Amino acid sequence: GAGVSQTPSNKVTEKGKYVELRCDPISGHTALYWYRQSLGQGPEFLIYFQGTGAADDSGLPNDRFFAVRPEGSVSTLKIQRTERGDSAVYLCASSSNRAGNTGELFFGEGSRLTVL
Amino acid sequence: KQEVTQIPAALSVPEGENLVLNCSFTDSAIYNLQWFRQDPGKGLTSLLLIQSSQREQTSGRLNASLDKSSGRSTLYIAASQPGDSATYLCAVIPYNNNDMRFGAGTRLTVKP
């Protein structure tokens, strides 16, 4: 696609429910990143994929958070047993970097998650 | 751990003014630094990317400089316009990993 696409744009759920957020990166971009942004803060790194593998998942806050990218393109961020503190905007970015050298990042519009 | 700080947190200027936004980082071993713009409720739009070997980049009315040794970058906006009103974020990527670190941003308001 022309840009990074994220769905849904908004998600409201109840505490304890399971949520999936989808990211469709720019075609051909091998690197994909997930970030979380709380109100008034800069984005916080969650996980980075190079191809199909998670090259760095050190930013995932706990084991309720998991992300996959099975075919090296679309990625899904999965949150189990959601808590009110998970409410934030989840941003996805992609880059055409290869061999570990990071190039310019392009972000999607984000998925706003609200946990009631 | 890399820490990125942006000053000021908010800035309000009249239309037409030239202005400077500041970004500082604690670890000078960076691969690149990127400036973004974020409008309310939107994602991040890339403005300028400076590789570690570069000193500055220019795009239209925007000029970004990088001084790695002092851990500083500035974003200069010339002849500001109301449409420039947004939050401006700087982010750095270290050499040894891909964990891009962001500052909290500067919220800019340009009054007509």
Side-chain angles (χ1 to χ4, degrees):
Chain A
V4 178
S5 176
Q6 292 189 245
T7 56
S9 56
N10 279 286
K11 175 71 176 178
V12 179
T13 191
E14 294 179 343
K15 179 175 179 295
K17 298 290 189 182
Y18 170 80
V19 166
E20 287 191 353
L21 306 175
R22 175 189 166 108
C23 174
D24 198 343
I26 292 172
S27 178
H29 279 191
T30 58
L32 185 146
Y33 304 76
W34 283 100
Y35 285 82
R36 177 168 70 174
Q37 188 176 26
S38 300
L39 193 64
Q41 301 294 318
E44 174 190 17
F45 171 78
L46 295 176
I47 187 169
Y48 156 64
F49 286 91
Q50 179 62 260
T52 60
D56 184 350
D57 64 358
S58 62
L60 294 177
N62 51 60
D63 61 7
R64 295 187 297 105
F65 288 75
F66 190 70
V68 296
R69 195 186 185 198
E71 297 177 357
S73 179
V74 170
S75 176
T76 304
L77 179 66
K78 307 181 180 192
I79 310 174
Q80 298 177 321
R81 304 182 304 280
T82 52
E83 300 177 356
R84 292 191 179 88
D86 298 336
S87 297
V89 176
Y90 289 82
L91 294 164
C92 176
S94 70
S95 171
S96 63
N97 77 339
R98 294 184 182 274
N101 293 317
T102 303
E104 188 173 4
L105 262 63
F106 297 88
F107 279 80
E109 294 289 299
S111 293
R112 180 177 299 278
L113 175 66
T114 303
V115 182
L116 301 176
Chain B
K1 179 180 170 180
Q2 178 76 271
E3 300 287 341
V4 181
T5 304
Q6 290 188 246
I7 295 173
L11 181 63
S12 181
V13 300
E15 181 176 6
E17 271 203 10
N18 303 324
L19 58 100
V20 175
L21 307 181
N22 296 292
C23 173
S24 62
F25 46 95
T26 55
D27 185 349
S28 62
I30 67 169
Y31 182 72
N32 67 33
L33 183 145
Q34 198 167 348
W35 281 93
F36 295 88
R37 169 188 172 134
Q38 186 173 33
D39 292 288
K42 300 292 187 180
L44 279 67
T45 300
S46 178
L47 297 174
L48 289 163
L49 173 75
I50 310 178
Q51 299 283 0
S52 62
S53 59
Q54 298 172 327
R55 299 278 300 183
E56 66 177 338
Q57 284 287 330
T58 298
S59 175
R61 294 183 294 108
L62 304 180
N63 176 277
S65 67
L66 173 64
D67 183 344
K68 264 196 354 172
S69 60
S70 66
R72 296 177 189 274
S73 176
T74 61
L75 179 66
Y76 175 81
I77 303 177
S80 58
Q81 303 171 356
D84 295 332
S85 298
T87 296
Y88 291 81
L89 295 150
C90 76
V92 299
I93 292 188
Y95 269 109
N96 296 326
N97 61 56
N98 291 280
D99 180 356
M100 185 176 239
R101 295 276 172 171
F102 284 81
T106 294
R107 189 173 68 255
L108 173 65
T109 303
V110 181
K111 302 177 197 175

